[in-house]
């Protein structure tokens, strides 16, 4: 062998050895892919929440070159609003790379980028590649994020506090004042199906209009081919609907509905993007798309020449049943399409929801993707009999779903709600002259994450309603994971309100206005005594920021209203920053088979109605089976020190 060949051989061997070492080091530092649910090992939340077609991966568990932010739970911060209270911050040329755990051809990315200096948002590119190839550029936006100030909030970062409203912040307040609603999400169909083990990278370009990016979570999905047109259905394209999105498709869809009703057929909206900028009224009709990744109803929020009878000052895309005073709608079936709206500010008089009106009488709403609406689904009764299932509602600027005013026999199941600007799922039995009451409704097997304001699931009055088998996580402020309250002019609680087999994760945040910690489940008597039976059973409260359970009355009415007839049993509490039970009200509750560990303060904090004379006004009745940390329930501390618990773990 010649000397030159020996040198080349030695060089090749050295290069191979170095390459092998570098590959080994990269493999050693690259974390194994982790599927999570609500930021936790799925085994810890098994059997709870929605069955979804995607797998969740948190950015902080992936391979990244940026900076991990969090964990943090204080409102108005990026970590607090992130799934799992942790995310990854990137700057130019930095990236997050996920490893697929299952075949996927689509993804949803939850992210945040800065607002424009004067509000209103910016856009910025983000490069996406798979295995270093198949590169494409996403255009991220903050135009649907970044609200400021007090309710109902503003897009202006220089907004002042509302004069006369109580606030804990000293004057002059720092600007921007109470920034919130930082995150948005975007769905992407990839060019083909990729295998488990393939690497999906999100990289910040060298030159970007955004000073930083925060990536929170990615959901990876294997999307099926578009659904075929059903038999005995009319295609909206035959009536002039434009699938390119360039022309208004609403009149053509309405013509198709009218024709289909005349002959007793259904309506089919094939794959495409259809421009709709107003409500389409539905009654006794079935409307199906080709799948919510393929059929997109997309439109803008437009000003009305004059206010509508329902007090709206804008129009927006939506499917609405007839209002109850017009007879309501029955036998409506909506399925398999997406609705992409354009709501960027909260105007409570506007009917700019995805699904609205009164829809009952054996109707179904299923397999929809509702995005950038004011409320995903807001139904005004009286109405009876509806199934709402397998829907995804994200980035709503107000509630994810609300059943309002005399709604009965509605079941909402297997729905996924993330980043609502108010309650994720609510039942609001508002008082009315006709005496209508929300009753016999069920929220079961839903997943609700990161409501920016208020609660994951909230029940306001009503009779014999149930909240079961749900997974609820990461409430930010002025609410918690599970809530029942005599508030907002609600009817009294009657019959039995059931909270059963739910799992709360990182609930019980600090209430900014009261400056106290809430409970992962909290009951609130504000406008009347809560005397109906409330059962809280067979549930798990994991990693509560303050309390697992809270019973409270507002100070001005502390001697007028109470909470009674509450039964708590078969509960596991794994981690509280303070107490298991915090009672700041008169009344009573029973506790049976409550096991708790990693509790930061004495199990029961019983301040009753703050008279401090004799036994506390709230009677903590300890029955059999509670673990050894429970004592006589006479300790009271207004604001106990928080001891952050360790992460939840399997219960042996």
């Amino acid at each position: 062998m010649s000397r030159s060949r020996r040198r080349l051989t030695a060089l090749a061997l050295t290069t191979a050895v170095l390459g092998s070492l570098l590959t080994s080091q990269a493999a050693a530092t690259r974390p194994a892919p982790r599927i999570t649910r609500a930021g936790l090992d799925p085994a810890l939340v098994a059997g709870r929440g929605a069955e979804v077609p995607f797998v969740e991966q948190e950015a902080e568990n992936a391979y990244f070159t940026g900076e991990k932010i969090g964990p943090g739970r204080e409102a108005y911060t990026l970590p607090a609003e992130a799934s799992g209270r942790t995310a990854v911050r990137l700057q130019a040329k930095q990236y997050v790379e996920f490893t697929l755990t299952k075949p996927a051809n689509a993804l949803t990315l939850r992210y945040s980028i800065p607002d424009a200096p004067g509000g209103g948002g910016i856009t910025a590119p983000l490069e996406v590649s798979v295995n270093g190839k198949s590169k494409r550029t996403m255009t991220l936006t903050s135009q649907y994020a970044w609200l400021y100030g007090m309710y109902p909030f503003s897009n202006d970062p220089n907004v002042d506090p509302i004069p006369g409203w109580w606030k804990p912040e000293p004057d002059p307040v720092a600007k921007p004042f109470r920034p919130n609603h930082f995150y948005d999400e975007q769905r992407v169909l990839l060019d083909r199906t990729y295998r488990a083990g393939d690497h999906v990278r999100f990289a910040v370009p060298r030159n970007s209009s955004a000073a930083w990016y925060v990536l929170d979570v990615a959901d990876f999905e294997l999307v099926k081919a578009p659904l075929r047109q059903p038999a005995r259905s009319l295609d909206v394209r035959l009536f002039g609907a434009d699938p390119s999105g360039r022309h208004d498709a609403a009149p053509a869809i309405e013509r198709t509905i009218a024709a289909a009703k005349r002959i007793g057929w259904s309506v089919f909206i094939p794959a495409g993007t259809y421009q709709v900028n107003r409500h389409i009224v539905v009654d006794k009709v079935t409307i199906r798309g080709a799948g919510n990744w393929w059929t997109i109803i997309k439109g803008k929020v437009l000003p009305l020449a004059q206010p509508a009878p329902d007090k709206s000052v804008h129009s927006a895309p939506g499917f609405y049943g007839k209002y109850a005073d017009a007879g309501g709608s029955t036998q409506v079936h909506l399925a398999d399409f997406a609705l992409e709206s354009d709501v960027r500010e909260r105007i409570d008089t506007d009917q700019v929801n995805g699904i609205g009106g009164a829809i009952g009488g054996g109707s179904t709403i299923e397999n929809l993707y509702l995005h950038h609406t004011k409320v995903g689904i807001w139904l005004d009764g009286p109405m009876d009999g509806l199934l709402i299932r397998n829907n995804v509602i994200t980035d709503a600027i107000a509630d994810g779903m609300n059943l309002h005013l005399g709604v009965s026999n509605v079941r909402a199941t297997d729905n996924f709600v993330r980043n609502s600007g108010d309650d994720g799922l609510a039942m609001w039995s508002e008082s009315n002259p006709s005496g209508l009451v929300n009753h016999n409704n069920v929220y079961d097997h839903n997943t609700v994450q990161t409501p920016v304001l208020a609660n994951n699931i909230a029940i306001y009055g009503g009779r014999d309603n149930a909240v079961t088998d749900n997974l609820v996580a990461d409430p930010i402020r002025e609410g918690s994971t599970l809530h029942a309250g005599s508030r907002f002019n609600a009817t009294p609680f009657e019959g039995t309100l059931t909270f059963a087999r739910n799992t709360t994760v990182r609930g019980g945040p600090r209430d900014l206005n009261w400056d106290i910690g809430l409970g992962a489940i909290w009951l609130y008597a504000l406008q009347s005594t809560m005397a109906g039976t409330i059962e809280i059973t067979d549930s798990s409260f994991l990693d509560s920021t303050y309390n697992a359970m809270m019973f409270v009355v507002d100070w001005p009415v502390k001697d007028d209203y109470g909470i009674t007839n509450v039964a708590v049993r078969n509960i596991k509490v794994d981690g509280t920053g303070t107490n298991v039970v915090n009672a700041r009200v008169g009344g009573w509750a029973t506790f049976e088979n409550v096991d708790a560990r990693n509790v930061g303060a004495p199990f029961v904090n019983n301040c009753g109605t703050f008279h401090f004379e004799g036994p506390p006004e709230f009677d903590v009745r300890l029955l059999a089976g509670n673990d050894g940390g429970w004592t006589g329930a006479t300790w009271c501390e207004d604001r106990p020190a928080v001891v952050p618990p360790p992460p939840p773990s399997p219960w042996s």
Side-chain angles (χ1 to χ4, degrees), residues 445-603:
H445 293 93
N446 303 288
T447 297
V448 187
Q449 295 180 263
T450 59
V452 177
L453 173 72
N455 309 278
N456 295 67
I457 301 180
I459 311 299
Y460 304 113
R463 182 180 74 247
D464 293 323
N465 297 302
V467 177
T468 70
D469 304 281
N470 300 285
L471 173 60
V472 283
D474 296 321
I476 314 302
R477 72 188 199 281
E478 297 173 47
S480 194
T481 36
L482 298 173
H483 175 58
S486 61
R487 309 170 64 187
F488 308 117
N489 195 33
T491 64
F493 286 94
E494 304 174 279
T496 300
L497 172 59
T498 301
F499 290 97
R501 299 177 304 282
N502 299 293
T503 295
T504 74
V505 182
R506 295 175 296 272
R510 181 173 74 97
D511 184 277
L512 178 73
N513 297 312
W514 285 340
D515 191 25
I516 60 173
L518 299 177
I521 184 168
W522 67 298
L523 310 185
Y524 182 23
L526 175 63
Q527 295 175 327
S528 64
T529 290
M530 295 172 63
T533 300
I534 298 177
E535 295 191 344
I536 305 168
T537 66
D538 304 292
S539 297
S540 298
F541 300 101
L542 307 181
D543 194 4
S544 301
T545 306
Y546 284 85
N547 311 286
M549 292 169 261
M550 187 176 197
F551 307 86
V552 66
V553 64
D554 206 20
W555 179 268
V557 294
K558 67 185 182 65
D559 297 317
D560 300 323
Y561 305 136
I563 299 173
T564 63
N565 208 22
V566 180
V568 181
R569 64 179 179 272
N570 301 333
I571 299 297
K572 293 189 183 304
V573 176
D574 190 356
T576 68
T578 54
N579 316 106
V580 176
V581 174
N582 191 330
R584 307 165 72 96
V585 64
W588 61 270
T590 62
F591 298 86
E592 181 179 7
N593 292 330
V594 178
D595 293 328
R597 65 187 184 189
N598 301 316
V599 176
F603 280 29

Side-chain angles (χ1 to χ4, degrees), residues 282-285 322 327-333 358-363 384-385:
V282 289
D283 182 32
K284 297 181 178 62
V285 66
K322 295 187 295 184
S329 292
T330 61
Q331 293 300 320
V332 173
H333 304 284
I359 301 176
S363 297
D384 178 86

Side-chain angles (χ1 to χ4, degrees), residues 597-620:
R597 65 187 184 189
N598 301 316
V599 176
F603 280 29
V604 177
N605 185 359
N606 192 349
C607 293
T609 59
F610 297 95
H611 287 170
F612 302 109
E613 296 176 1
E617 295 86 359
F618 192 81
D619 185 7
V620 177

Side-chain angles (χ1 to χ4, degrees), residues 158-397:
N158 294 307
V159 67
D160 290 311
I162 297 174
W165 282 38
W166 182 86
K167 60 177 178 54
E169 297 94 341
D171 288 318
V173 297
K175 299 290 185 69
F177 178 54
R178 296 186 182 179
N180 70 95
H181 205 63
F182 303 117
Y183 288 88
D184 197 16
E185 66 181 53
Q186 189 174 136
R187 302 201 300 176
V188 176
L189 273 171
L190 300 173
D191 59 322
R192 62 183 177 85
T193 297
Y194 291 91
R195 299 174 299 178
D198 287 341
H199 302 304
V200 181
R201 176 178 292 191
F202 299 93
V204 177
R206 181 185 301 272
N207 298 311
S208 172
S209 55
W212 52 263
Y213 297 62
V214 170
L215 303 192
D216 177 27
V217 65
D219 301 325
F220 296 100
E221 184 172 348
L222 184 61
V223 175
K224 297 178 181 179
L227 298 173
R228 295 181 178 181
Q229 181 176 352
R232 298 174 60 83
S233 66
L234 295 179
D235 187 327
V236 296
R237 295 174 301 179
L238 297 175
F239 294 80
D242 175 16
S244 73
R246 289 190 296 268
H247 303 290
D248 184 5
I253 294 173
E254 290 172 332
R255 289 193 292 270
T256 313
I257 291 171
K261 290 175 68 173
R262 284 195 298 269
I263 62 175
W265 285 20
S266 65
V267 173
F268 179 63
I269 308 178
T273 299
Y274 298 84
Q275 182 189 146
V276 173
N277 304 307
R278 56 180 173 80
H279 299 167
I280 292 177
V281 178
V282 289
D283 182 32
K284 297 181 178 62
V285 66
T286 296
I287 301 175
R288 296 189 179 277
N292 65 44
W293 281 86
W294 302 107
T295 298
I296 315 296
I297 308 298
K298 186 172 184 177
K300 296 184 178 299
V301 174
L302 300 176
L304 297 173
Q306 58 185 16
D310 61 16
K311 300 182 181 179
S312 294
V313 295
H314 293 90
S315 67
F319 289 83
Y320 271 58
K322 295 187 295 184
Y323 288 117
D325 58 9
S329 292
T330 61
Q331 293 300 320
V332 173
H333 304 284
L334 305 174
D336 301 310
F337 60 83
L339 191 146
E340 287 276 0
S341 194
D342 189 41
V343 179
R344 307 183 189 195
E345 61 179 333
R346 178 167 177 165
I347 301 174
D348 281 348
T349 56
D350 266 355
Q351 283 285 348
V352 288
N353 307 316
I355 310 295
I359 301 176
S363 297
T364 56
I365 300 169
E366 55 189 335
N367 303 324
L368 304 186
Y369 177 77
L370 304 174
H371 195 215
H372 290 154
T373 60
K374 187 180 85 170
V375 177
I377 301 173
W378 180 291
L379 299 172
D380 289 300
M383 48 163 282
D384 178 86
L386 171 66
L387 176 62
I388 305 171
R389 66 182 174 191
N390 300 331
N391 302 289
V392 175
I393 303 172
T394 63
D395 301 327
I397 211 161

